[in-house]
């Protein structure tokens, strides 16, 4: 079996072990606001009416818009409630990169396990890795249906593993779907620095306001993310002091963060995950319409069709549909997207604004990156840690040393599993109040 299908098969097997349900989601109960009462469909998957935002949003960032019980795919009866916890689907208000109000969905899980660390029960905001751009790919839906496989889409809830591992430690978890993923009013703004950071931080605020939540404003908060999620948590760690000073941030794990999108663009072009280029372009064109004339000059008919197709795809769909493709096939000139970026100063400035590492996080951070990762390149992730160290940040830098294999996807995915236990242990220590060290002094000799 070639690497790409083998990688996807492994992810599907993991989802099946968590209790996959390859059936459409049930319609949500009618909410109390003015949300639509009819569902929409994305690649044959029914998107519950819950995910349609109301016409008017509250003013406060993190304000809860609506919530409802969320059945977990893997749940066992317990003496004090279901194991590993009781889940709530939620929608909350955030602010996007243009300063506009936006509705974001996600899920909160109150753990059945007791918190045995110091202080009140803590909360971890999990920022999912790449799920796709179709609404059916949302991580909150994946908690209910870890595998969606209907002949039109393949969605795998691989982030469920980290969520359950945190719950077993007695840590409350809130998962964000990000801006536009799940919610039916706009496209997902994939790897947008500000949108991702705000969605993560506002998820914390929303979780604290739930009646079913045991976390309070005094609870320590951790951020956990890998790949797209690592970029979102890294950006959130930078912006938290100014955007969410009320969030008691104790520590942030940023695994394989795409801190420099110019380098990441070059790396994923022609790779197993080449479809992510389309998600990036779709999201950026929605955020910054001034980029549209540039896109119209360069993107050919095949490229336009690919962008439209990818806008409803999950990561599994993109692996099969666009894995290994080159962006040179999408342009009128035969240039790659990287070539176009180098030719257009407007694009260079836009991507420079997306760069993570220009601000010092106000709390400890753990940056992990596989030294053989050539999908989200190791060098740019290491540079993020070095940039934060230079600014006086308290950084734990972890190079995950694994041999490179023939697949960029495997080189990227393997460190996630290899390092996840250590990452959760490091974050749990921060949530218990244990001080974090820093190995910035060792950066000159670190790979």
């Amino acid at each position: 079996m070639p690497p790409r299908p083998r990688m996807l098969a492994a992810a599907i097997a993991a989802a099946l072990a968590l209790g996959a349900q390859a059936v459409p989601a049930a319609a949500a109960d009618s909410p109390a606001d003015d949300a639509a009462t009819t569902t929409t469909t994305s690649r044959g998957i029914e998107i519950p009416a819950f995910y349609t935002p109301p016409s008017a949003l509250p003013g406060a960032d993190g304000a809860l818009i609506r919530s409802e019980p969320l059945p977990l795919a893997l749940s066992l009866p317990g003496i004090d409630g279901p194991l590993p916890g009781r889940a709530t689907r939620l929608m909350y208000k955030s602010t996007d990169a243009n300063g506009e109000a936006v509705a974001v969905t996600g899920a909160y899980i109150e753990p059945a396990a007791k918190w045995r660390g110091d202080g009140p029960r803590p909360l971890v905001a999990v920022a999912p890795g790449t799920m796709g751009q179709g609404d059916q790919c949302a991580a909150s839906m994946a908690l209910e249906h870890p595998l969606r496989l209907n002949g039109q889409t393949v969605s795998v809830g691989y982030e469920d593993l980290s969520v359950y591992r945190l719950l077993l430690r007695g840590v409350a978890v809130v998962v964000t779907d990000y801006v536009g993923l799940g919610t039916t009013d706009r496209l997902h703004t994939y790897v947008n620095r500000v949108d991702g950071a705000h969605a993560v931080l506002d998820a914390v605020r929303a979780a604290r306001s739930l009646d079913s939540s045991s976390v309070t404003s005094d609870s320590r908060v951790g951020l956990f993310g890998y790949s797209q999620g690592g970029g979102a948590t890294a950006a959130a760690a930078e912006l938290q002091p100014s955007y969410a000073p009320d969030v008691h941030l104790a520590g942030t794990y940023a695994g394989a963060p795409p801190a420099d999108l110019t380098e990441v663009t070059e790396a994923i072009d022609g790779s197993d995950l080449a479809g992510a280029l389309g998600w990036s372009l779709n999201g950026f064109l929605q955020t910054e319409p001034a980029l549209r004339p540039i896109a119209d000059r360069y993107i050919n008919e095949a490229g336009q069709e690919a962008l439209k197709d990818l806008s409803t795809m999950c990561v599994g769909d993109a692996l099969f549909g666009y894995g290994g493709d080159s962006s040179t096939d999408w342009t009128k000139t035969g240039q790659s997207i990287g070539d176009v970026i180098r030719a257009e100063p407007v694009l260079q400035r836009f991507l420079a604004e997306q760069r993570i590492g220009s601000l010092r996080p106000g709390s400890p951070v753990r940056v992990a990156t596989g030294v053989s990762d050539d999908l989200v390149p190791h060098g740019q992730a290491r540079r993020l840690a070095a940039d934060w160290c230079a600014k006086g940040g308290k950084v734990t830098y972890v190079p995950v040393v694994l041999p490179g294999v023939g697949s960029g996807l495997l080189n990227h995915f393997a460190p996630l599993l290899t390092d996840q236990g250590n990452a959760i242990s490091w974050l749990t220590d921060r949530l218990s109040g244990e001080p974090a060290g820093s190995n910035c002094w060792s950066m000159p000799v670190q790979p």
Side-chain angles (χ1 to χ4, degrees), residues 109-123:
I109 307 98
E110 177 74 16
K114 294 184 182 298
W115 167 245
R116 302 190 184 281
D118 180 62
R121 187 191 298 278
L123 173 69

Side-chain angles (χ1 to χ4, degrees), residues 9 37 62 121 123 154 159 170 201 223 225 241 265 303 318 321 378 399 421 428:
T37 56
R121 187 191 298 278
L123 173 69
V154 180
E159 286 292 0
L201 294 168
L223 308 181
T265 295
H378 164 70
T428 303

Side-chain angles (χ1 to χ4, degrees), residues 212-310:
S212 58
S213 170
S214 62
V215 298
T216 69
S217 58
D218 294 326
S219 295
R220 295 187 180 100
V221 174
L223 308 181
F224 185 97
Y226 188 88
S227 194
Q228 179 187 359
T233 58
E238 287 190 340
L239 295 180
Q240 177 269 330
S242 59
Y243 182 76
D246 57 299
V247 172
H248 186 186
L249 189 53
T252 296
Y253 162 64
D260 186 334
L261 295 185
T262 300
E263 288 195 24
V264 175
T265 295
E266 294 280 3
I268 65 175
D269 199 349
S271 75
D272 295 334
L273 201 58
L277 282 176
W279 297 329
S280 301
L281 289 170
N282 283 335
F284 291 147
L285 290 173
Q286 177 178 255
T287 297
E288 184 51 79
L291 299 178
R292 174 62 66 180
I294 298 176
D296 290 342
R297 284 204 307 274
Y298 285 99
I299 304 299
N300 62 21
E301 185 175 350
Q304 296 288 355
E305 286 298 318
L307 295 183
K308 181 180 178 181
D309 192 26
L310 283 159

